[in-house]
Amino acid sequence: MADKTTAPESGGAATGPLAACWSCKGPVAAAALFCHVCGAVQPPREVDAYTRLGFEPRFDIDPAELDKRYLGFQRNLHPDRFARKSPREKAIAESQAMSLNEAYETLKDAVRRAQALLARAGIASPVGESRTIEDRELLMEAMEVREALEEAADLDALQRLASRAQQEEAGCLKALTAAFAERDWDEAARQTTRLKYWRKFAEELRGKRAVLAGASS
């Protein structure tokens, strides 16, 4: 589903908390790339990824809209546009570009996006392994599939585990959408931990697949 929030490519998010422009001292939106009065590029300020890229704080984000908005902002910070600017403005533009990269990577990744939403709600980020132990259901699942992974002796067995991991990840994403929509923070934190676990398991699975494929070639 596309996010309905819009942000002008040339100016960054124009709403939200205000700050003072470093150049003209006038008020400027904290997430704005440029001062809407004097046009000076603005330094990145303490805003979260959603605010920086002008998205509403919800779990479902349209990937195409995310790419479009990110690339639009980055075009306005391209070094060629600052070739005749002062060293200070060049440095500010570079730091803005880095902050946009970080925000983009956060919103692009489902786990980091969920953690960002939990942080907005004042909830500490789930800490992978420790939360896994607290979640008895996940702990039992983890023991089951790790044993199966250790015993897997061929690529067919690994494929069955890969299909299981894909199904579990899809289930986590669906549950996260519902939990955030209902502002059920405990369930959102639980599903974030589950998603982190199943993605880590998928990485381990790919590693063993490479070993078995190499042994059979």
Side-chain angles (χ1 to χ4, degrees), residues 34-206:
F34 299 93
C35 175
H36 294 277
V37 177
C38 70
V41 65
Q42 296 299 299
R45 298 184 171 91
E46 291 295 324
V47 296
D48 66 19
Y50 282 91
T51 301
R52 193 172 304 287
L53 288 171
F55 278 89
E56 294 178 2
R58 63 190 187 200
F59 185 69
D60 281 343
I61 285 182
D62 180 4
E65 177 61 25
L66 175 62
D67 288 347
K68 177 183 176 182
R69 196 168 300 186
Y70 167 72
L71 293 174
F73 288 161
Q74 287 290 17
R75 274 197 298 273
N76 288 289
L77 296 170
H78 193 280
D80 289 349
R81 291 177 177 263
F82 291 85
R84 297 183 180 181
K85 299 292 185 179
S86 68
R88 180 175 183 177
E89 289 173 289
K90 291 178 181 177
I92 290 174
E94 184 177 352
S95 62
Q96 266 288 12
M98 291 174 62
S99 295
L100 285 170
N101 283 340
E102 178 67 20
Y104 174 73
E105 294 299 329
T106 295
L107 296 190
K108 187 177 181 181
D109 180 80
V111 170
R112 294 180 62 178
R113 196 163 66 243
Q115 290 173 325
L117 286 172
L118 289 171
R120 287 180 66 105
I123 299 172
S125 174
V127 184
E129 296 303 323
S130 62
R131 291 295 293 256
T132 300
I133 295 172
E134 295 174 8
D135 187 336
R136 186 166 182 77
E137 179 183 347
L138 180 56
L139 178 60
M140 297 303 292
E141 289 176 341
M143 292 173 63
E144 172 197 341
V145 294
R146 285 190 180 282
E147 183 177 349
L149 181 60
E150 291 176 3
E151 294 176 351
D154 54 45
L155 295 177
D156 288 341
L158 291 182
Q159 183 56 48
R160 288 192 290 274
L161 287 173
S163 298
R164 166 84 183 275
Q166 290 173 355
Q167 291 174 358
E168 294 290 349
E169 179 173 341
C172 289
L173 293 173
K174 184 177 180 180
L176 278 168
T177 297
F180 280 118
E182 296 169 1
R183 303 172 69 83
D184 185 345
W185 308 124
D186 287 343
E187 179 63 9
R190 175 175 172 272
Q191 292 297 336
T192 300
T193 301
R194 289 181 59 82
L195 181 58
K196 288 177 66 176
Y197 170 74
W198 282 109
R199 286 191 167 183
K200 182 179 179 183
F201 178 74
E203 290 179 4
E204 295 173 4
L205 203 157
R206 286 192 289 271

Side-chain angles (χ1 to χ4, degrees), residues 20-28 35-40 42:
C21 172
W22 65 270
S23 179
C24 72
K25 311 304 179 186
V28 61
C35 175
H36 294 277
V37 177
C38 70
Q42 296 299 299

